[in-house]
Amino acid sequence: METTKGGFSEAGLRRVRDVLARHVDSGRIPGLVALIGRGDETHVEALGTMRHDGGAPMRRDTIFRMASTSKPVAVAAAMILLDECRIRLDDPVDTWLPELADRQVLKRVDGPLDETVPARRPITVRDVLTSTFGLGMDLTSLGTPIMNAVFEQGLTPNLPVPMPEPDDWIRRLGTLPLMHQPGERWQYHISNDLLGVLVARVSGRSYEAFLRERLFEPLGMKDTGFHVPADRIHRLPPLYAPDPATGEFHVWDEAEGGRHSAPPAFQSGGGGLNSTADDYHAYFRMLLNRGTHGTERILSRPAVELMTTNRLTPEQQAARHKLATDNVHISFGQGQHGGWGFGMAVRTYRGDYAPVGQFGWDGGSGTSTYADPVNGLTGILLTQTGTSVPAPAHLFHDFWTTLYQALED
């Protein structure tokens, strides 16, 4: 009989390593750190190098730009405030974010910005948590006046200019009409950044200070934050955005002197965190433990259940499903989950090897982070290769495909 290790077969773990090594050996993924955890067993692979042309080897404590995998972690701050009754799901956000009072909504998503109708109701905390408050990064609406305005105002990351500080950011957001009525439609990303502003206003602290005190320090997430201090910057690789046509490695962000080398003006819950495989494992394991870490409770069990189960109505879900299935070329097949909780995807149908109930998300910087309560499983895959090319997404798929075959029970 095959030997098992903590619910993984030895042969299965070898196959996971072989598949990861194949991607690194292909020359398209310079390096990676992969962690799989089940119960008290943790298995880590660190393969390849920090730079595409060699350099220091990847290590278990290498720090990565988490990009959109920031979303499932950063949302926990709002859950702490919900647990403490400092915000309520159906409170209008106007109380703390007066810039978003009295919204106007476009008559047509692709119409002029001044052809609007009044919002039927205020934006609520629930709308922001479920990414349905009315504005988002809509890849099906690129080139429309509203999406052009979102980019022109500097409201999204990855533009040549950094995002402005939070008060200015929300003031700019408040000058735009909504694309959809509050609560009507799921839309990506902007709500996650808005949540950080809300947490800071409610708590009276910076978003990062609140996260550090209430989440990162209790969980021992010592390498997680919105920038990498100088004494650790050597552990951050450059981020590459390979040329989609040629595959040539272009440096999108250097470590020293780059976007993550100093505290940013805007602490982005949608995409700004840096972290390590072990830090993220601590967070997702806390969620699998229904909110506890050792003897300490970080989140209530109902808060974890709310975050990690589908919160979208069938109508809201239709838009998200359309994005995943009709724009498969943009995401290279990512996003086939069905549902969305708070800050993360939730599988509502069996679209691949992962079961219904798995939750987490992927990042455009080449990161993939999920937990699976059915199997008590956490998987974290971190690279420095951006998803301007399919290689990181293909790596994600192969990681999860082999990881699920390694389960023995």
Side-chain angles (χ1 to χ4, degrees):
M1 185 177 131
E2 206 173 73
T3 57
T4 64
K5 185 181 180 195
F8 300 110
S9 73
E10 297 279 0
L13 290 174
R14 278 197 301 276
R15 285 189 63 196
V16 172
R17 183 188 170 87
D18 290 347
V19 163
L20 295 176
R22 191 194 312 159
H23 282 269
V24 173
D25 294 343
S26 75
R28 287 192 282 272
I29 302 288
L32 61 84
V33 176
L35 181 151
I36 56 180
R38 198 178 190 200
D40 294 327
E41 293 289 340
T42 308
H43 187 80
V44 178
E45 299 287 355
L47 304 174
T49 52
M50 299 273 279
R51 303 190 72 92
H52 86 89
D53 45 5
M58 281 287 181
R59 299 185 353 181
R60 181 168 179 161
D61 70 348
T62 296
I63 297 171
F64 293 87
R65 299 163 191 78
M66 300 308 292
S68 284
T69 52
S70 301
K71 292 176 170 70
V73 172
V75 72
M79 306 312 293
I80 291 167
L81 294 175
L82 278 173
D83 272 343
E84 295 180 348
C85 300
R86 292 163 79 179
I87 55 176
R88 300 177 200 91
L89 284 169
D90 294 303
D91 281 346
V93 297
D94 308 1
T95 311
W96 305 283
L97 307 173
E99 297 90 341
L100 299 186
D102 305 319
R103 296 292 76 204
Q104 292 288 313
V105 182
L106 289 175
K107 287 183 179 174
R108 296 199 336 265
V109 167
D110 58 353
L113 298 185
D114 56 359
E115 288 189 10
T116 62
V117 296
R120 287 194 290 265
R121 63 166 175 78
I123 295 167
T124 64
V125 171
R126 187 189 301 271
D127 298 329
V128 179
L129 278 165
T130 53
S131 298
T132 60
F133 84 95
L135 264 178
M137 292 288 300
D138 192 338
L139 298 178
T140 61
S141 303
L142 294 177
T144 57
I146 184 63
M147 283 313 300
N148 291 345
V150 165
F151 294 133
E152 285 158 15
Q153 291 285 352
L155 296 175
T156 58
N158 302 336
L159 297 171
V161 291
M163 288 163 67
E165 54 83 31
D167 287 346
D168 190 26
W169 182 87
I170 195 152
R171 180 190 61 74
R172 296 182 192 189
L173 185 70
T175 66
L176 300 178
L178 301 179
M179 299 166 78
H180 300 283
Q181 289 285 345
E184 189 175 69
R185 192 180 174 100
W186 183 89
Q187 289 186 287
Y188 191 53
H189 184 78
I190 293 178
S191 58
N192 300 93
D193 280 343
L194 179 57
L195 204 56
V197 183
L198 179 65
V199 167
R201 294 259 179 105
V202 173
S203 68
R205 332 250 329 254
S206 79
Y207 188 31
E208 184 169 36
F210 187 82
L211 278 166
R212 188 166 304 290
E213 181 190 321
R214 303 302 304 274
L215 193 72
F216 302 158
E217 285 177 0
L219 287 172
M221 296 171 69
K222 58 185 186 298
D223 289 315
T224 303
F226 290 109
H227 84 287
V228 180
D231 61 351
R232 300 179 207 174
I233 199 84
H234 64 282
R235 289 164 52 198
L236 180 74
L239 175 62
Y240 297 106
D243 186 299
T246 66
E248 184 187 350
F249 283 93
H250 296 299
V251 174
W252 175 255
D253 185 42
E254 268 298 357
E256 301 224 6
R259 293 163 184 251
H260 292 259
S261 64
F266 190 94
Q267 297 168 356
S268 167
L273 288 177
N274 305 280
S275 194
T276 63
D278 281 296
D279 279 12
Y280 257 55
H281 183 218
Y283 176 74
F284 277 97
R285 195 159 65 173
M286 177 272 291
L287 296 184
L288 288 179
N289 289 338
R290 297 170 171 167
T292 59
H293 175 72
T295 57
E296 190 166 357
R297 179 162 287 286
I298 309 291
L299 292 171
S300 71
R301 179 173 166 175
V304 172
E305 290 168 349
L306 265 179
M307 293 164 72
T308 61
T309 54
N310 179 49
R311 303 265 63 79
L312 301 184
T313 65
E315 296 76 23
Q316 292 165 343
Q317 200 151 332
R320 175 163 149 61
H321 188 66
K322 186 173 168 58
L323 183 66
T325 53
D326 293 1
N327 290 278
V328 76
H329 60 286
I330 293 175
S331 55
F332 311 113
Q334 295 302 106
Q336 310 277 344
H337 314 85
W340 193 260
F342 291 158
M344 64 189 95
V346 179
R347 291 191 187 266
T348 52
Y349 65 93
R350 186 110 193 199
D352 55 25
Y353 283 34
V356 170
Q358 186 207 42
F359 55 81
W361 196 229
D362 308 292
S365 56
T367 55
S368 185
T369 61
Y370 289 86
D372 163 7
V374 176
N375 294 291
L377 175 73
T378 306
I380 293 159
L381 177 61
L382 308 176
T383 79
Q384 79 279 56
T385 308
T387 52
S388 52
V389 290
H394 292 163
L395 169 61
F396 299 167
H397 290 301
D398 294 352
F399 171 65
W400 292 106
T401 299
T402 47
L403 173 48
Y404 273 103
Q405 292 174 66
L407 292 176
E408 267 307 319
D409 47 21

